[in-house]
Amino acid sequence: MRVIEKVSAFAGNTFAYWVILFAALALFFPEGFTWIAPYISWLLGIIMFGMGMTLSSSDFKKVFSHPKSVWIGVVAQYVIMPFLAFVLAYGLGLPPEIAVGVILVGACPGGTSSNVMTYLARGNTALSVSMTAVSTLLAPILTPAITLLLASKWLPVSAGDMFKSVVTIVLLPIVLGLIVKALFQKLVEKSISVLPFISVIGIVAIVAAVVSGNKEKILESGLLILAVVILHNCLGYLLGFLAAKILKMNYEDQKAVSIEVGMQNSGLAAALAAAHFTPLAAVPGAIFSVWHNVSGSLLANYWGKKAEKHNILEDHQDNDNSTDFKMNN
């Protein structure tokens, strides 16, 4: 079991590298990954089931004890990212399929990777987990509604069918995960360390499937999509941080909101795009999955080191003050 735990921890810590590696392999050897495409929804369902097993009542206590902080993050999530997606799609004159794919990414809830990045950034991890949980539970309503509102300019959107899909591949698996945890708590607690490894496999497989099925279109318009994804993600971090700062949240909460807003459940976006639109519409979600893990790691590393330096300076100041006190006495 310890070996599996170590493998799972290693996979979680090197998540971004595996996504990049298999995206590249799928681009150059697509025939090895195209068979995964029919199972994208199942893979995402398994990831959401795992998320359900990691949640507990304490994750939702923040909603009731500090509702303002949680709802600021959730509202920022569902306002900033869809707004940015629409502005980028319209302003850059993106082709319809790509525009819809970008808007789908913006309309999705926060991704579970944000919780890990917030922890590494020395942000408020409990707040991050609560925001992810609440935004995910709201996804069956808000994701189809926002997509209908913003994306119907480019392609027809069936909000009803999308609602069913989100319930099936997000809400039901999470509820099942919560039930399994409640019934078999001790067994789940023993196996919970393996879940990061399963999540990594699932996201890597989804990205590889989307990339392999769109090789020619990615080679043709991949740089444009990558540029849009980078802008979308980085502006999400920035505006999320500024929104939290303007609303006078503390620094740890600002970091949590910034990361939560910038990092999306892009696997869900890719799955919904593949199911309800065209394969090309799934590409922004796949590329976002690659990029936001890279940018999130860089941002978390910067904030984490900054917090570490701040703590060292505080320790030195405390020691100096202690020495001065002893000398004066």
Side-chain angles (χ1 to χ4, degrees), residues 205-216:
I206 290 170
V207 171
V210 173
V211 171
S212 65
N214 293 276
K215 176 182 177 179
E216 292 180 4

Side-chain angles (χ1 to χ4, degrees), residues 49-235:
F49 176 73
M51 179 183 175
M53 289 199 294
T54 63
L55 294 175
S56 64
S57 58
S58 62
D59 296 326
F60 296 96
K61 285 179 181 177
K62 186 81 178 179
V63 181
F64 301 103
S65 60
H66 297 87
K68 180 183 174 182
S69 298
V70 175
W71 288 110
I72 285 172
V74 173
V75 171
Q77 174 81 49
Y78 280 116
V79 172
I80 291 172
M81 292 305 276
F83 171 75
L84 284 174
F86 181 82
V87 169
L88 289 169
Y90 185 78
L92 296 175
L94 298 180
E97 292 89 348
I98 297 174
V100 169
V102 172
I103 287 170
L104 256 176
V105 171
C108 281
T112 52
S113 298
S114 63
N115 309 148
V116 178
M117 299 307 173
T118 300
Y119 171 76
L120 295 175
R122 308 288 180 87
N124 189 336
T125 307
L127 175 60
S128 176
V129 172
S130 297
M131 288 188 294
T132 300
V134 173
S135 67
T136 301
L137 293 176
L138 291 173
I141 300 295
L142 294 181
T143 298
I146 292 170
T147 305
L148 176 64
L149 177 66
L150 300 180
S152 55
K153 169 183 170 60
W154 285 277
L155 291 175
V157 177
S158 175
D161 289 343
M162 195 174 292
F163 168 80
K164 292 175 186 175
S165 292
V166 180
V167 168
T168 303
I169 63 181
V170 175
L171 192 59
L172 287 180
I174 287 177
V175 171
L176 285 173
L178 288 167
I179 292 171
V180 168
K181 184 176 182 178
L183 294 175
F184 309 101
Q185 189 170 357
K186 290 184 179 180
L187 183 62
V188 169
E189 286 175 356
K190 288 181 180 179
S191 60
I192 207 165
S193 58
V194 183
L195 295 178
F197 182 54
I198 295 172
S199 295
V200 169
I201 292 174
I203 292 295
V204 166
I206 290 170
V207 171
V210 173
V211 171
S212 65
N214 293 276
K215 176 182 177 179
E216 292 180 4
K217 291 173 181 176
I218 289 174
L219 292 175
E220 180 184 333
S221 54
L223 287 176
L224 171 63
I225 299 173
L226 179 61
V228 172
V229 163
I230 291 173
L231 281 171
H232 194 192
N233 172 239
C234 293
L235 287 172

Side-chain angles (χ1 to χ4, degrees), residues 314-328:
E314 282 192 337
D315 289 340
H316 281 311
Q317 287 175 353
D318 289 342
N319 290 335
D320 290 341
N321 291 337
S322 177
T323 302
D324 291 341
F325 178 80
K326 288 177 181 178
M327 289 177 68
N328 291 330

Side-chain angles (χ1 to χ4, degrees), residues 230-252:
I230 291 173
L231 281 171
H232 194 192
N233 172 239
C234 293
L235 287 172
Y237 291 140
L238 176 62
L239 294 182
F241 183 82
L242 290 175
K245 189 172 184 177
I246 289 167
L247 293 168
K248 298 182 178 179
M249 299 175 76
N250 65 47
Y251 191 47
E252 285 70 27

Side-chain angles (χ1 to χ4, degrees), residues 26-39:
L27 193 62
F28 291 105
F29 307 103
E31 61 280 355
F33 301 93
T34 49
W35 61 272
I36 303 172
Y39 306 103

